[in-house]
Amino acid sequence: MLLSARKLCRSFGENQVLFNVDLDLQTGEVHALLGENGAGKSTLVKILAGYLRPTSGEVLVEGSQRHYRSSGEAEADGVVMIHQELALAEQLSVEENIFLGRELRRGLFLDRRAMRERSRAALAELETHVDPSARVKDLSTSDQQMVEIAKAITRDVRVLIMDEPTATLTENEVSVLFALIDRLRQRGVAILYISHKLREIEQIADHVTVLRDGHLVDSGPMAGRSKEELARLMVGREITEMYPPRTRLPDDAPVVLEVRHMVVPGAVKHASFTLRRGEVMGFGGIVGAGRTALIEAVLGLRRKSAGQVLRNGQPVVMRHLRDAVHQRIAYLTEDRKGKGLVLNMDLRSNVTLLNLRAHCHPLIDRRREEQAFQQAVERFDIRLRTAARTVAQLSGGNQQKLLLAKVMSIDPEIVIINEPTRGIDVGTKHQIYHFIRELTDSGCSVILISSEMGELIGLSHRVAVMCAGVLTGVLEGEQINEEEIMQYASGIKGVGGDEQRHG
Amino acid sequence: MSSVMANNKTTNKAANKMITQKGFAIDLKTWGPFVALVALGLLGVLINPAFLGLDNLSNMLTRSAFIGIIAIGATFVITAGGLDLSVGAMAAFIAGVMIILMNSLVEQFGAGWTTILLGIGASLLLGICAGFINGIVTTKGKIEAFIVTLGTMGIYRSLVTYLSDGGTLTLDWAVRDIYRPVYYGSFLGITIPVWVFLAVAVIGYILLNYTRFGRYCFAIGSNEKVAEYSAIHVDRVKTLTYMLQGVCVALATIIYVPRLGSASGATGVLWELEAIAAVIIGGTMLKGGHGRIWGTVVGAIMLTMIGNILNLTDAISNYLNGTVQGIIIIVAVYLQRASWRKTGP
């Protein structure tokens, strides 16, 4: 056995994320690691690659125990991890990246020729056309991945860990990657492959291990296991009482928003959907499937190359978010700190920033602004510590409520919420779910983009699922369950072509 | 909170009071420039009692008006995360065009206020256009403001040298006599440039703190993405800050031209750096997101005051003016950062 894990446990504070997980990797096999977001996959591989230390349990390489204190020590053993977000120095050349931090030298000076030769040899072995002297910035994502892999090969890799390598690749690039994985397998490299995409795993995996909530639920050869079975194993838990019952929709609820044939360059190939008054429309799919790009293109935050938006049946043009605000559409971004709130600004100004007009006659009326802020604090139950003056000093949950207060300040009829519960505590989650129910009760419509299955199933009237830039299907009623969503999200069901023919 | 107060080196009681009342520390960050101004003033009096003379103070404020007015414009640009290096060259260029225009208008309208008002109008128009160009190239061309304005700085500087044919452009003597009071005259015992400075400062204060435009400047300077996701027309607001800067430069030029009645390639040299220095001394952050008009006003006055004090003493050579200014700028920013570190997140 090349690399093994025995009874690995890991906790972050009081929160245990891995429970007695075993894993065995053999030379020359592709081992798929499956699980939902938060199942503990990343934690597990980070321990194997030396980025994290286990709370208890052992890591063995060829039967002897290892206590990695850094990723460098794991790499010395030939265990290399390629990150989800590629970690290359963009302005440096390919060869400089391949030897970054372990440059070959001749005396005091760099041995550029030797580095170029070895880079070229490694790239040739991967059968890629990447030029060693090209700047990484100018390469496509798949070529950048090749560079990462070349980097691993020059380190005499024996175990290659790939965390969602296809998340940002096109179909063509994926097949190139798979051919490469195949060659690596023939060289005797063991590959630990993390992915949500069951179709891919069926294609390349020899062995599969499924994690759920930090526990190992299944492990064995891929042969004899079906995708459907694996999808069920990945999610297989019941939704708890976390979610309030849905608002009852009248049969004649009018369509308030319709999106037709939306195309966003580089992100969305085809998507059409409708939204009715009082409805919660969930958007499922894995990260990078194009959900955020689709919604942002609808709102005028991104350029679209084709598509039409109808509001209450009338075609509307939204080129800037301000146009969307005029259409009474509010958008809650998934990136609270990067796009949602001004961290070093006071709380009041943050809440009124989107609808500052309402407080201008024509000068800003600070007293009214303060009143509006106080009302928002009450309505959204924002808990202010006396010392908190800027957003950065608030907790994640309170930041999210502040952001909610900000977007609700325009009194919207349609609220688009992107990952509303990312990084917040259970109590606040609960509050946000009930807030969504209140919204739909009062006649608002909600679009809910979420990577948490439970949320989608617990709150949505319908769920649209996207896979690789295509809206593969809209699920209703009994169809809304985790396995079904997972199948559409991984492209097993509802292939984009069908949608396009009918649409 | 008590530790912040204990660490607070400023003796200003008002500052401490603000901390306890409002529950947050604003200490040096807010009051620093004012404290420094008072300290510098006291130093001036100690060195030479003539410092407090009415003539001297009036002269000093009048001189600080040019940089002060330009710096108020720069406060907006910098608060919104931009930078304008072209203001000094722009001032020289506007002055040159204004003089040429007025000289040529004398034939048609004679040496009178019509000619001067047309010159003033042209100056404002030029300022707005120049600012618009800086703004549009920065935002639509997605080029760093530093580079764009470095480029326009070179352009304006060489254009004025070209217009003056390497020499000096001189305003018609008859026009100059009429125009003179705009710099040398006074109203209620205060010179006209100081009135203009004050007016620009008050308008700037209201714009920055009590209008959407001002609030948007803060938001954009703090985080452009957040501003975009707050339905703010980021490019439009940023371009407007450069246009406002252009207007301020034009105003400064309008009161500068009657002072000497001439313009050359050496007019307004290094004004951009003095303006930026005034803004930074005043507590505005160079990386944007935080701007203060009164701080800028104080900063501009301080810069002039340093030169003035050196004039009144023999202890330090006048030639060391730049050295003292440089030290004061660095110390001012150091003190602000130090207080920021204690109170910041």
Side-chain angles (χ1 to χ4, degrees):
Chain A
M1 210 52 66
L2 185 51
L3 178 70
S4 313
R6 288 284 167 270
K7 301 218 169 298
L8 282 185
C9 295
R10 170 74 203 201
S11 307
F12 294 100
E14 288 178 10
N15 185 15
Q16 188 165 358
V17 293
L18 274 189
F19 301 84
N20 297 319
V21 173
D22 289 345
L23 189 81
D24 287 307
L25 266 177
Q26 282 171 356
T27 346
E29 77 165 358
V30 176
H31 192 130
L33 188 56
L34 283 173
E36 276 196 300
N37 288 334
K41 297 169 304 202
S42 290
T43 309
L44 173 58
V45 295
K46 277 183 185 161
I47 291 172
L48 297 178
Y51 290 89
L52 281 177
R53 269 182 271 177
T55 311
S56 65
E58 309 175 335
V59 175
L60 308 160
V61 173
E62 288 175 334
S64 64
Q65 205 174 335
R66 292 293 197 273
H67 299 280
Y68 296 135
R69 278 166 303 177
S70 72
S71 60
E73 291 184 12
E75 282 177 15
D77 268 344
V79 181
V80 179
M81 174 161 157
I82 296 178
H83 291 267
Q84 210 164 348
E85 296 99 20
L86 301 173
L88 294 169
E90 292 209 319
Q91 297 289 348
L92 297 185
S93 72
V94 169
E95 61 191 37
E96 282 164 340
N97 264 290
I98 288 177
F99 286 95
L100 194 62
R102 52 193 185 106
E103 285 80 2
L104 304 179
R105 273 178 312 196
R106 232 195 201 156
L108 276 177
F109 300 100
L110 294 176
D111 189 349
R112 286 180 163 275
R113 202 188 316 161
M115 286 194 282
R116 175 157 305 184
E117 284 314 312
R118 286 189 52 187
S119 302
R120 182 163 289 152
L123 290 165
E125 196 169 349
L126 303 178
E127 294 178 26
T128 70
H129 54 275
V130 177
D131 177 4
S133 58
R135 267 208 289 186
V136 163
K137 185 170 79 77
D138 302 327
L139 300 180
S140 68
T141 313
S142 63
D143 282 349
Q144 290 188 9
Q145 212 152 37
M146 294 298 167
V147 175
E148 281 272 19
I149 295 167
K151 201 170 158 178
I153 290 178
T154 56
R155 288 171 199 209
D156 299 319
V157 62
R158 291 196 293 167
V159 176
L160 187 61
I161 301 171
M162 304 174 105
D163 193 354
E164 303 241 16
T166 59
T168 52
L169 298 186
T170 66
E171 218 155 292
N172 257 338
E173 292 170 337
V174 170
S175 53
V176 173
L177 179 75
F178 283 0
L180 172 65
I181 288 178
D182 214 35
R183 286 199 292 280
L184 289 174
R185 170 161 48 189
Q186 279 157 23
R187 276 169 47 120
V189 177
I191 292 157
L192 188 57
Y193 186 96
I194 300 183
S195 180
H196 290 284
K197 298 181 188 168
L198 290 165
R199 214 161 47 162
E200 292 179 354
I201 281 166
E202 187 182 44
Q203 211 176 326
I204 58 160
D206 304 310
H207 212 92
V208 59
T209 294
V210 183
L211 291 183
R212 190 202 306 151
D213 299 333
H215 296 272
L216 189 143
V217 292
D218 186 33
S219 188
M222 186 63 211
R225 283 176 166 77
S226 71
K227 288 176 301 216
E228 289 74 15
E229 194 185 340
L230 290 173
R232 195 172 43 73
L233 281 168
M234 267 166 78
V235 292
R237 82 190 111 77
E238 297 305 313
I239 305 301
T240 53
E241 293 295 310
M242 193 70 179
Y243 308 99
R246 296 176 188 82
T247 303
R248 264 189 58 86
L249 274 188
D251 290 337
D252 60 346
V255 171
V256 291
L257 185 75
E258 182 171 0
V259 171
R260 289 182 184 164
H261 313 302
M262 191 63 95
V263 181
V264 184
V268 178
K269 290 176 201 149
H270 181 265
S272 302
F273 67 91
T274 57
L275 178 70
R276 299 200 301 164
R277 189 183 142 90
E279 182 182 40
V280 178
M281 174 84 156
F283 266 80
I286 57 163
V287 175
R291 295 171 297 168
T292 300
L294 169 64
I295 291 304
E296 293 194 349
V298 169
L299 293 169
L301 281 163
R302 266 184 212 226
R303 204 179 281 272
K304 59 175 194 274
S305 57
Q308 198 184 19
V309 180
L310 292 91
R311 176 84 169 93
N312 292 329
Q314 300 296 315
V316 289
V317 178
M318 292 188 268
R319 286 209 186 82
H320 191 271
L321 190 59
R322 185 52 68 189
D323 300 331
V325 169
H326 285 312
Q327 294 294 337
R328 311 269 304 272
I329 306 176
Y331 178 52
L332 205 78
T333 163
E334 82 286 13
D335 187 358
R336 253 188 330 257
K337 294 179 180 175
K339 294 173 182 164
L341 298 166
V342 184
L343 294 184
N344 55 0
M345 211 183 216
D346 60 291
L347 308 179
R348 183 196 58 200
S349 306
N350 264 293
V351 168
T352 56
L353 194 58
L354 188 60
N355 197 24
L356 199 52
R357 271 156 220 252
H359 310 289
C360 292
H361 336 76
L363 297 183
I364 296 174
D365 185 340
R366 295 248 170 122
R367 211 165 35 88
R368 288 252 205 110
E369 209 189 345
E370 183 64 33
Q371 280 172 6
F373 172 61
Q374 291 303 341
Q375 282 167 10
V377 166
E378 220 159 283
R379 178 172 174 204
F380 296 96
D381 188 30
I382 301 167
R383 292 175 198 163
L384 301 170
R385 288 178 297 141
T386 45
R389 296 300 308 180
T390 62
V391 176
Q393 292 160 315
L394 292 180
S395 71
N398 274 317
Q399 285 181 358
Q400 187 69 341
K401 290 185 203 167
L402 198 71
L403 183 57
L404 204 55
K406 175 184 165 184
V407 303
M408 290 307 294
S409 69
I410 63 166
D411 193 16
E413 289 173 351
I414 298 173
V415 185
I416 301 177
I417 310 183
N418 200 344
E419 303 287 1
T421 59
R422 184 182 282 174
I424 64 176
D425 57 286
V426 178
T428 310
K429 273 188 188 179
H430 207 82
Q431 285 182 311
I432 287 176
Y433 298 149
H434 282 269
F435 179 72
I436 290 174
R437 161 74 199 240
E438 281 168 34
L439 278 178
T440 49
D441 277 354
S442 66
C444 270
S445 309
V446 174
I447 290 178
L448 173 71
I449 303 177
S450 177
S451 296
E452 276 199 38
M453 282 286 186
E455 263 171 38
L456 287 178
I457 293 163
L459 297 169
S460 309
H461 292 92
R462 292 185 296 152
V463 176
V465 188
M466 291 187 71
C467 174
V470 177
L471 203 155
T472 45
V474 178
L475 310 179
E476 277 180 76
E478 291 296 303
Q479 285 180 297
I480 303 179
N481 59 63
E482 305 199 23
E483 284 132 75
E484 197 78 1
I485 293 174
M486 195 58 95
Q487 294 194 348
Y488 278 93
S490 55
I492 300 170
K493 276 194 181 175
V495 184
D498 297 335
E499 176 78 12
Q500 264 157 346
R501 269 200 297 281
H502 298 306
Chain B
M1 203 45 60
S2 62
S3 72
V4 173
M5 281 169 64
N7 286 336
N8 189 353
K9 291 285 192 314
T10 172
T11 51
N12 192 317
K13 277 190 177 155
N16 288 345
K17 227 181 202 168
M18 292 296 269
I19 292 169
T20 43
Q21 273 178 1
K22 288 210 170 178
F24 69 106
I26 39 178
D27 56 312
L28 271 181
K29 218 168 146 46
T30 301
W31 298 98
F34 293 90
V35 174
L37 184 73
V38 171
L40 204 60
L42 283 175
L43 186 74
V45 178
L46 287 177
I47 284 174
N48 190 337
F51 175 81
L52 267 187
L54 220 55
D55 279 352
N56 186 53
L57 284 181
S58 167
N59 187 25
M60 201 176 64
L61 285 174
T62 308
R63 279 165 162 269
S64 66
F66 304 127
I67 295 299
I69 292 168
I70 294 174
I72 286 164
T75 308
F76 285 89
V77 174
I78 293 174
T79 299
L83 190 69
D84 192 343
L85 294 173
S86 70
V87 293
M90 195 193 290
F93 175 63
I94 293 175
V97 173
M98 202 177 160
I99 288 170
I100 292 174
L101 183 77
M102 287 195 287
N103 285 349
S104 64
L105 286 175
V106 168
E107 288 173 23
Q108 213 174 339
F109 298 103
W113 277 106
T114 315
T115 302
I116 293 169
L117 286 176
L118 283 170
I120 287 175
S123 164
L124 288 170
L125 199 67
L126 270 178
I128 291 172
C129 290
F132 179 74
I133 292 170
N134 278 339
I136 226 65
V137 176
T138 315
T139 53
K140 297 296 174 199
K142 303 204 187 306
I143 307 173
E144 288 88 342
F146 185 97
I147 305 209
V148 172
T149 59
L150 190 67
T152 50
M153 168 169 109
I155 293 169
Y156 297 136
R157 180 62 65 198
S158 89
L159 280 178
V160 72
T161 313
Y162 170 75
L163 288 177
S164 62
D165 207 11
T168 304
L169 291 159
T170 314
L171 185 59
D172 183 275
W173 279 99
V175 177
R176 203 172 153 183
D177 278 343
I178 304 167
Y179 197 178
R180 233 180 101 83
V182 171
Y183 181 77
Y184 292 99
S186 60
F187 176 69
L188 298 177
I190 295 171
T191 62
I192 303 291
V194 176
W195 279 116
V196 177
F197 186 14
L198 192 68
V200 171
V202 170
I203 294 170
Y205 179 77
I206 293 170
L207 261 182
L208 189 62
N209 296 294
Y210 287 94
T211 66
R212 268 186 285 160
F213 170 70
R215 183 70 62 79
Y216 290 170
C217 287
F218 284 110
I220 292 170
S222 296
N223 188 330
E224 235 173 84
K225 267 283 172 235
V226 174
E228 195 189 325
Y229 280 76
S230 303
I232 295 170
H233 290 276
V234 174
D235 288 356
R236 195 184 293 170
V237 173
K238 282 176 89 177
T239 304
L240 275 173
T241 63
Y242 288 98
M243 289 167 74
L244 191 64
Q245 170 77 84
V247 170
C248 288
V249 172
L251 284 172
T253 312
I254 288 164
I255 54 172
Y256 174 80
V257 167
R259 182 183 172 205
L260 297 175
S262 67
S264 72
T267 302
V269 168
L270 291 185
W271 280 10
E272 60 282 341
L273 294 188
E274 285 202 41
I276 293 168
V279 172
I280 299 307
I281 291 174
T284 297
M285 299 219 292
L286 191 56
K287 67 175 170 129
H290 182 81
R292 300 220 328 273
I293 296 293
W294 292 116
T296 299
V297 171
V298 167
I301 296 174
M302 267 175 74
L303 285 177
T304 324
M305 197 186 265
I306 294 164
N308 185 261
I309 291 172
L310 294 185
N311 263 333
L312 295 173
T313 174
D314 296 328
I316 304 176
S317 161
N318 218 352
Y319 294 127
L320 288 175
N321 187 3
T323 308
V324 180
Q325 281 191 354
I327 292 170
I328 298 240
I329 292 167
I330 294 169
V331 169
V333 172
Y334 175 76
L335 289 178
Q336 285 164 19
R337 294 295 143 80
S339 63
W340 178 242
R341 245 174 263 136
K342 273 174 231 149
T343 58

